[in-house]
Amino acid sequence: MDKISSVSKVELTNSDFVKPFRILYEQDGTKKIWDCIKIHDSVTILIHNVSRDVFVLVKQFRPAVYINQAASHGETGSEVNTEKVPGHLGLVYELCAGIVDKNCGWNEIAQMEVLEECGYQVPLSCLEEITLARGGTGVTGTKQAFYYARVTDDMKVSAGGGNVDEGEMIEVVEISVAESLTFAMDQSIEKPVGLIFAFLWYHQYKAPKSIS
Ligand SMILES: O=c1ccn([C@@H]2O[C@H](COP(=O)(O)OP(=O)(O)O[C@H]3O[C@H](CO)[C@@H](O)[C@H](O)[C@H]3O)[C@@H](O)[C@H]2O)c(=O)[nH]1
Ligand SMILES: [Mg+2]
């Protein structure tokens, strides 16, 4: 999964996934411009396997993270020297997530992503909405829905790994709930803020409280 080679940056002319555009507006009479990117809304799922008290995460190569790593290693040109910037630097731990690109309930999209990426067939009744937030406010402004899915070992029906037809390569990783806060705050582990939020949410609102 982390054997990355032949990396180059090219100009984006058209895309099925993102559309850059500019907004012109006036604020209190002052003319302003703001450059944005249109992307899909998304769903994100904190999967808790209660049979073994572990969180189920996905680990995947993220080109955007990789290219930022390359820049930190002085590789800012259009070609990246992959000897100097090995592919594992673009691997990221994330919650199971997917874009809202189908006309159905967001909870159904969450259910599909849990199956596709992590191999659990979870009934909708085991999916709880945590909250809805903005995935990004500066550039995209899209919505991101967070769900909590309680799963058991007997809901595991496949290895997961993502949609092979779309070329997805995903490793399913388990983190014990007991170690999850240390994991969340470890800066040496690449992860998005949504993962940290979800782990903290669990410990604040869901974790059994010990009696002192
Ligand atoms: O430029 C692109 C963009 C996407 N894809 C494919 O599109 C699919 C997208 O996968 P999906 O699981 O639906 O979305 P994610 O990539 O997991 O993205 C979600 O999870 C991210 C991490 O939480 C968030 O940043 C995003 O907003 C959210 O949509 C995959 O097959 C990709 O291979 C491409 O091939 N090229
Ligand atoms: Mg995904």
Side-chain angles (χ1 to χ4, degrees), residues 74-122:
E75 290 289 296
T76 51
S78 58
E79 310 274 326
V80 178
N81 178 349
T82 53
E83 300 281 318
K84 201 169 153 192
V85 192
H88 72 84
L89 293 177
L91 292 179
V92 181
Y93 290 86
E94 298 177 29
L95 297 175
C96 170
I99 55 177
V100 177
D101 59 353
K102 291 174 195 71
N103 195 14
C104 60
W106 286 30
N107 60 344
E108 291 170 283
I109 293 178
Q111 183 184 43
M112 284 183 242
E113 291 293 340
V114 171
L115 178 61
E116 202 171 275
E117 296 191 347
C118 299
Y120 288 90
Q121 183 69 64
V122 57

Short mmCIF file of all heavy atoms in Angstrom, two decimals, residues 74-122:
data_model
loop_
_atom_site.label_atom_id
_atom_site.label_comp_id
_atom_site.label_asym_id
_atom_site.label_seq_id
_atom_site.Cartn_x
_atom_site.Cartn_y
_atom_site.Cartn_z
N GLY A 74 11.54 19.49 1.46
CA GLY A 74 12.21 20.29 0.43
C GLY A 74 11.84 19.91 -0.99
O GLY A 74 12.40 20.45 -1.95
N GLU A 75 10.89 18.98 -1.14
CA GLU A 75 10.48 18.56 -2.49
C GLU A 75 9.27 19.38 -2.92
O GLU A 75 8.12 18.97 -2.73
CB GLU A 75 10.14 17.06 -2.49
CG GLU A 75 11.34 16.15 -2.31
CD GLU A 75 12.24 16.14 -3.55
OE1 GLU A 75 11.78 15.69 -4.61
OE2 GLU A 75 13.40 16.59 -3.44
N THR A 76 9.52 20.55 -3.50
CA THR A 76 8.41 21.45 -3.84
C THR A 76 8.18 21.55 -5.35
O THR A 76 7.24 22.22 -5.79
CB THR A 76 8.68 22.87 -3.29
OG1 THR A 76 9.99 23.25 -3.72
CG2 THR A 76 8.61 22.90 -1.78
N GLY A 77 9.01 20.88 -6.13
CA GLY A 77 8.88 20.96 -7.59
C GLY A 77 7.74 20.09 -8.11
O GLY A 77 6.97 19.50 -7.33
N SER A 78 7.62 19.98 -9.42
CA SER A 78 6.50 19.21 -9.99
C SER A 78 6.75 17.70 -9.90
O SER A 78 5.80 16.92 -9.96
CB SER A 78 6.23 19.64 -11.42
OG SER A 78 7.40 19.47 -12.18
N GLU A 79 8.02 17.29 -9.76
CA GLU A 79 8.31 15.86 -9.57
C GLU A 79 8.77 15.65 -8.13
O GLU A 79 9.53 16.45 -7.61
CB GLU A 79 9.46 15.39 -10.48
CG GLU A 79 9.31 15.79 -11.95
CD GLU A 79 8.50 14.79 -12.73
OE1 GLU A 79 8.59 13.58 -12.41
OE2 GLU A 79 7.77 15.21 -13.65
N VAL A 80 8.33 14.55 -7.52
CA VAL A 80 8.77 14.27 -6.15
C VAL A 80 9.73 13.08 -6.16
O VAL A 80 9.43 12.04 -6.75
CB VAL A 80 7.56 13.95 -5.23
CG1 VAL A 80 8.03 13.60 -3.82
CG2 VAL A 80 6.59 15.12 -5.19
N ASN A 81 10.87 13.26 -5.51
CA ASN A 81 11.85 12.18 -5.37
C ASN A 81 11.35 11.23 -4.27
O ASN A 81 11.43 11.54 -3.08
CB ASN A 81 13.21 12.78 -5.01
CG ASN A 81 14.27 11.71 -4.81
OD1 ASN A 81 13.96 10.52 -4.73
ND2 ASN A 81 15.52 12.14 -4.72
N THR A 82 10.84 10.07 -4.69
CA THR A 82 10.22 9.15 -3.73
C THR A 82 11.26 8.38 -2.90
O THR A 82 10.90 7.71 -1.94
CB THR A 82 9.25 8.17 -4.43
OG1 THR A 82 9.94 7.53 -5.50
CG2 THR A 82 8.03 8.89 -4.96
N GLU A 83 12.53 8.48 -3.30
CA GLU A 83 13.59 7.89 -2.45
C GLU A 83 13.73 8.77 -1.20
O GLU A 83 13.89 8.28 -0.09
CB GLU A 83 14.94 7.90 -3.18
CG GLU A 83 14.97 7.11 -4.47
CD GLU A 83 15.10 5.63 -4.19
OE1 GLU A 83 15.89 5.26 -3.32
OE2 GLU A 83 14.37 4.86 -4.86
N LYS A 84 13.63 10.08 -1.44
CA LYS A 84 13.79 11.05 -0.35
C LYS A 84 12.50 11.14 0.49
O LYS A 84 12.54 11.39 1.70
CB LYS A 84 14.08 12.43 -0.98
CG LYS A 84 14.73 13.41 -0.07
CD LYS A 84 15.21 14.61 -0.90
CE LYS A 84 15.27 15.85 -0.05
NZ LYS A 84 15.45 17.06 -0.85
N VAL A 85 11.36 10.93 -0.17
CA VAL A 85 10.07 11.03 0.52
C VAL A 85 9.32 9.70 0.34
O VAL A 85 8.51 9.53 -0.57
CB VAL A 85 9.21 12.19 -0.05
CG1 VAL A 85 8.01 12.47 0.85
CG2 VAL A 85 10.03 13.45 -0.26
N PRO A 86 9.60 8.70 1.21
CA PRO A 86 8.97 7.39 1.04
C PRO A 86 7.45 7.44 1.25
O PRO A 86 6.94 8.29 1.98
CB PRO A 86 9.66 6.53 2.10
CG PRO A 86 10.28 7.47 3.06
CD PRO A 86 10.53 8.76 2.34
N GLY A 87 6.76 6.53 0.58
CA GLY A 87 5.30 6.53 0.56
C GLY A 87 4.65 6.44 1.93
O GLY A 87 3.56 6.98 2.14
N HIS A 88 5.34 5.80 2.88
CA HIS A 88 4.68 5.64 4.20
C HIS A 88 4.41 6.99 4.87
O HIS A 88 3.55 7.09 5.75
CB HIS A 88 5.50 4.71 5.11
CG HIS A 88 6.78 5.30 5.62
ND1 HIS A 88 6.82 6.09 6.73
CD2 HIS A 88 8.05 5.22 5.16
CE1 HIS A 88 8.07 6.48 6.93
NE2 HIS A 88 8.84 5.96 5.99
N LEU A 89 5.10 8.05 4.40
CA LEU A 89 4.86 9.39 4.98
C LEU A 89 3.47 9.92 4.62
O LEU A 89 3.01 10.90 5.21
CB LEU A 89 5.95 10.37 4.53
CG LEU A 89 7.36 10.07 5.07
CD1 LEU A 89 8.37 11.06 4.51
CD2 LEU A 89 7.38 10.11 6.60
N GLY A 90 2.80 9.28 3.66
CA GLY A 90 1.45 9.72 3.29
C GLY A 90 0.36 8.85 3.87
O GLY A 90 -0.82 9.01 3.55
N LEU A 91 0.74 7.89 4.75
CA LEU A 91 -0.27 7.02 5.36
C LEU A 91 -0.92 7.74 6.55
O LEU A 91 -0.22 8.31 7.39
CB LEU A 91 0.35 5.71 5.83
CG LEU A 91 0.86 4.77 4.72
CD1 LEU A 91 1.47 3.52 5.33
CD2 LEU A 91 -0.26 4.39 3.76
N VAL A 92 -2.24 7.68 6.62
CA VAL A 92 -2.98 8.42 7.65
C VAL A 92 -3.98 7.48 8.32
O VAL A 92 -4.63 6.67 7.65
CB VAL A 92 -3.74 9.61 7.00
CG1 VAL A 92 -4.50 10.40 8.06
CG2 VAL A 92 -2.79 10.52 6.24
N TYR A 93 -4.10 7.59 9.64
CA TYR A 93 -5.15 6.88 10.39
C TYR A 93 -6.40 7.77 10.40
O TYR A 93 -6.30 8.96 10.71
CB TYR A 93 -4.72 6.65 11.84
CG TYR A 93 -3.63 5.63 12.02
CD1 TYR A 93 -2.28 6.00 11.91
CD2 TYR A 93 -3.93 4.30 12.29
CE1 TYR A 93 -1.27 5.07 12.08
CE2 TYR A 93 -2.92 3.36 12.46
CZ TYR A 93 -1.60 3.75 12.35
OH TYR A 93 -0.60 2.83 12.51
N GLU A 94 -7.54 7.20 10.06
CA GLU A 94 -8.77 7.99 10.02
C GLU A 94 -9.93 7.16 10.54
O GLU A 94 -9.86 5.94 10.60
CB GLU A 94 -9.10 8.39 8.57
CG GLU A 94 -8.06 9.26 7.91
CD GLU A 94 -8.38 9.58 6.45
OE1 GLU A 94 -9.57 9.62 6.09
OE2 GLU A 94 -7.43 9.77 5.68
N LEU A 95 -11.02 7.87 10.84
CA LEU A 95 -12.28 7.17 11.05
C LEU A 95 -12.76 6.72 9.68
O LEU A 95 -12.44 7.35 8.67
CB LEU A 95 -13.33 8.11 11.64
CG LEU A 95 -13.04 8.71 13.01
CD1 LEU A 95 -14.13 9.70 13.38
CD2 LEU A 95 -12.94 7.61 14.07
N CYS A 96 -13.54 5.65 9.65
CA CYS A 96 -14.21 5.23 8.43
C CYS A 96 -15.02 6.43 7.93
O CYS A 96 -15.70 7.10 8.73
CB CYS A 96 -15.11 4.05 8.78
SG CYS A 96 -16.23 3.55 7.48
N ALA A 97 -14.94 6.74 6.63
CA ALA A 97 -15.63 7.93 6.13
C ALA A 97 -15.93 7.79 4.65
O ALA A 97 -15.30 7.01 3.95
CB ALA A 97 -14.77 9.17 6.37
N GLY A 98 -16.89 8.57 4.20
CA GLY A 98 -17.20 8.55 2.77
C GLY A 98 -17.93 9.79 2.35
O GLY A 98 -18.51 10.52 3.17
N ILE A 99 -17.90 10.04 1.06
CA ILE A 99 -18.58 11.23 0.55
C ILE A 99 -20.05 10.93 0.29
O ILE A 99 -20.42 9.79 0.01
CB ILE A 99 -17.89 11.77 -0.73
CG1 ILE A 99 -17.78 10.70 -1.82
CG2 ILE A 99 -16.52 12.31 -0.39
CD1 ILE A 99 -17.18 11.19 -3.12
N VAL A 100 -20.87 11.96 0.41
CA VAL A 100 -22.31 11.83 0.15
C VAL A 100 -22.51 12.05 -1.34
O VAL A 100 -22.64 13.18 -1.82
CB VAL A 100 -23.12 12.86 0.98
CG1 VAL A 100 -24.60 12.77 0.65
CG2 VAL A 100 -22.88 12.65 2.47
N ASP A 101 -22.44 10.96 -2.08
CA ASP A 101 -22.59 11.06 -3.55
C ASP A 101 -23.75 10.21 -4.05
O ASP A 101 -23.84 9.90 -5.23
CB ASP A 101 -21.27 10.69 -4.26
CG ASP A 101 -20.81 9.27 -3.93
OD1 ASP A 101 -21.43 8.62 -3.07
OD2 ASP A 101 -19.82 8.82 -4.54
N LYS A 102 -24.62 9.79 -3.11
CA LYS A 102 -25.79 8.99 -3.50
C LYS A 102 -27.04 9.64 -2.91
O LYS A 102 -26.98 10.29 -1.87
CB LYS A 102 -25.68 7.56 -2.95
CG LYS A 102 -24.59 6.76 -3.61
CD LYS A 102 -24.42 5.40 -2.95
CE LYS A 102 -23.12 4.76 -3.36
NZ LYS A 102 -21.94 5.44 -2.75
N ASN A 103 -28.16 9.41 -3.59
CA ASN A 103 -29.40 10.02 -3.16
C ASN A 103 -30.13 9.10 -2.18
O ASN A 103 -31.10 8.44 -2.54
CB ASN A 103 -30.26 10.31 -4.40
CG ASN A 103 -31.38 11.27 -4.07
OD1 ASN A 103 -31.36 11.90 -3.01
ND2 ASN A 103 -32.36 11.35 -4.93
N CYS A 104 -29.61 9.00 -0.96
CA CYS A 104 -30.27 8.19 0.08
C CYS A 104 -29.95 8.81 1.43
O CYS A 104 -29.26 9.84 1.50
CB CYS A 104 -29.80 6.73 0.00
SG CYS A 104 -28.05 6.52 0.23
N GLY A 105 -30.46 8.22 2.50
CA GLY A 105 -30.21 8.78 3.82
C GLY A 105 -28.73 8.77 4.15
O GLY A 105 -28.00 7.87 3.74
N TRP A 106 -28.29 9.79 4.90
CA TRP A 106 -26.87 9.86 5.27
C TRP A 106 -26.50 8.67 6.15
O TRP A 106 -25.37 8.20 6.10
CB TRP A 106 -26.57 11.19 5.96
CG TRP A 106 -26.53 12.36 5.01
CD1 TRP A 106 -27.27 12.48 3.85
CD2 TRP A 106 -25.73 13.53 5.11
NE1 TRP A 106 -26.96 13.66 3.23
CE2 TRP A 106 -26.03 14.33 3.97
CE3 TRP A 106 -24.80 13.98 6.03
CZ2 TRP A 106 -25.41 15.57 3.75
CZ3 TRP A 106 -24.18 15.22 5.83
CH2 TRP A 106 -24.48 15.99 4.70
N ASN A 107 -27.46 8.21 6.96
CA ASN A 107 -27.15 7.05 7.80
C ASN A 107 -26.96 5.79 6.95
O ASN A 107 -26.15 4.92 7.28
CB ASN A 107 -28.23 6.84 8.88
CG ASN A 107 -29.61 6.62 8.31
OD1 ASN A 107 -29.87 6.89 7.13
ND2 ASN A 107 -30.51 6.12 9.13
N GLU A 108 -27.67 5.74 5.80
CA GLU A 108 -27.48 4.59 4.91
C GLU A 108 -26.11 4.64 4.23
O GLU A 108 -25.48 3.61 4.00
CB GLU A 108 -28.59 4.55 3.85
CG GLU A 108 -29.95 4.21 4.45
CD GLU A 108 -31.07 4.42 3.45
OE1 GLU A 108 -31.45 5.58 3.21
OE2 GLU A 108 -31.54 3.42 2.90
N ILE A 109 -25.66 5.86 3.91
CA ILE A 109 -24.31 6.00 3.34
C ILE A 109 -23.27 5.57 4.38
O ILE A 109 -22.33 4.85 4.08
CB ILE A 109 -24.06 7.44 2.85
CG1 ILE A 109 -24.99 7.71 1.67
CG2 ILE A 109 -22.60 7.67 2.47
CD1 ILE A 109 -24.92 9.11 1.10
N ALA A 110 -23.50 5.97 5.63
CA ALA A 110 -22.60 5.56 6.72
C ALA A 110 -22.57 4.02 6.82
O ALA A 110 -21.50 3.41 6.94
CB ALA A 110 -23.04 6.18 8.04
N GLN A 111 -23.75 3.42 6.77
CA GLN A 111 -23.86 1.96 6.85
C GLN A 111 -23.05 1.30 5.72
O GLN A 111 -22.32 0.32 5.94
CB GLN A 111 -25.34 1.58 6.73
CG GLN A 111 -25.63 0.12 6.87
CD GLN A 111 -27.12 -0.18 6.64
OE1 GLN A 111 -27.74 0.37 5.72
NE2 GLN A 111 -27.68 -1.02 7.48
N MET A 112 -23.17 1.86 4.49
CA MET A 112 -22.44 1.29 3.33
C MET A 112 -20.93 1.42 3.50
O MET A 112 -20.18 0.52 3.19
CB MET A 112 -22.85 2.03 2.05
CG MET A 112 -24.20 1.64 1.49
SD MET A 112 -24.47 2.54 -0.06
CE MET A 112 -25.91 3.48 0.36
N GLU A 113 -20.49 2.59 4.02
CA GLU A 113 -19.05 2.81 4.20
C GLU A 113 -18.47 1.86 5.25
O GLU A 113 -17.36 1.36 5.09
CB GLU A 113 -18.76 4.27 4.59
CG GLU A 113 -19.03 5.28 3.49
CD GLU A 113 -18.10 5.16 2.28
OE1 GLU A 113 -17.01 4.58 2.39
OE2 GLU A 113 -18.50 5.65 1.21
N VAL A 114 -19.24 1.60 6.32
CA VAL A 114 -18.75 0.69 7.36
C VAL A 114 -18.54 -0.71 6.76
O VAL A 114 -17.54 -1.38 7.04
CB VAL A 114 -19.74 0.63 8.55
CG1 VAL A 114 -19.37 -0.46 9.53
CG2 VAL A 114 -19.79 1.98 9.27
N LEU A 115 -19.45 -1.11 5.88
CA LEU A 115 -19.33 -2.42 5.23
C LEU A 115 -18.17 -2.43 4.23
O LEU A 115 -17.32 -3.33 4.27
CB LEU A 115 -20.65 -2.76 4.53
CG LEU A 115 -20.68 -4.08 3.76
CD1 LEU A 115 -20.42 -5.26 4.69
CD2 LEU A 115 -22.03 -4.26 3.05
N GLU A 116 -18.14 -1.41 3.38
CA GLU A 116 -17.15 -1.37 2.30
C GLU A 116 -15.72 -1.24 2.83
O GLU A 116 -14.81 -1.94 2.40
CB GLU A 116 -17.47 -0.16 1.43
CG GLU A 116 -16.94 -0.22 0.03
CD GLU A 116 -17.52 0.94 -0.78
OE1 GLU A 116 -18.63 0.79 -1.31
OE2 GLU A 116 -16.89 2.01 -0.84
N GLU A 117 -15.54 -0.35 3.80
CA GLU A 117 -14.18 -0.06 4.26
C GLU A 117 -13.74 -1.00 5.39
O GLU A 117 -12.56 -1.34 5.47
CB GLU A 117 -14.06 1.41 4.72
CG GLU A 117 -14.29 2.38 3.55
CD GLU A 117 -13.93 3.83 3.87
OE1 GLU A 117 -13.74 4.16 5.05
OE2 GLU A 117 -13.85 4.62 2.92
N CYS A 118 -14.69 -1.41 6.27
CA CYS A 118 -14.27 -2.17 7.45
C CYS A 118 -14.88 -3.56 7.55
O CYS A 118 -14.49 -4.35 8.43
CB CYS A 118 -14.57 -1.36 8.72
SG CYS A 118 -13.67 0.19 8.74
N GLY A 119 -15.83 -3.89 6.69
CA GLY A 119 -16.36 -5.25 6.62
C GLY A 119 -17.41 -5.62 7.65
O GLY A 119 -17.70 -6.79 7.85
N TYR A 120 -18.01 -4.61 8.31
CA TYR A 120 -19.07 -4.90 9.29
C TYR A 120 -20.44 -4.59 8.68
O TYR A 120 -20.65 -3.49 8.14
CB TYR A 120 -18.91 -4.05 10.55
CG TYR A 120 -17.75 -4.47 11.43
CD1 TYR A 120 -16.48 -3.92 11.24
CD2 TYR A 120 -17.92 -5.41 12.44
CE1 TYR A 120 -15.41 -4.30 12.05
CE2 TYR A 120 -16.86 -5.80 13.24
CZ TYR A 120 -15.60 -5.24 13.05
OH TYR A 120 -14.55 -5.62 13.84
N GLN A 121 -21.36 -5.54 8.79
CA GLN A 121 -22.75 -5.31 8.38
C GLN A 121 -23.50 -4.82 9.61
O GLN A 121 -23.91 -5.62 10.46
CB GLN A 121 -23.35 -6.63 7.85
CG GLN A 121 -24.77 -6.50 7.32
CD GLN A 121 -24.82 -5.70 6.02
OE1 GLN A 121 -24.28 -6.11 5.01
NE2 GLN A 121 -25.48 -4.54 6.06
N VAL A 122 -23.63 -3.51 9.71
CA VAL A 122 -24.21 -2.93 10.93
C VAL A 122 -25.66 -2.50 10.66
O VAL A 122 -25.94 -1.80 9.68
CB VAL A 122 -23.33 -1.74 11.45
CG1 VAL A 122 -23.14 -0.66 10.43
CG2 VAL A 122 -23.89 -1.16 12.72
#
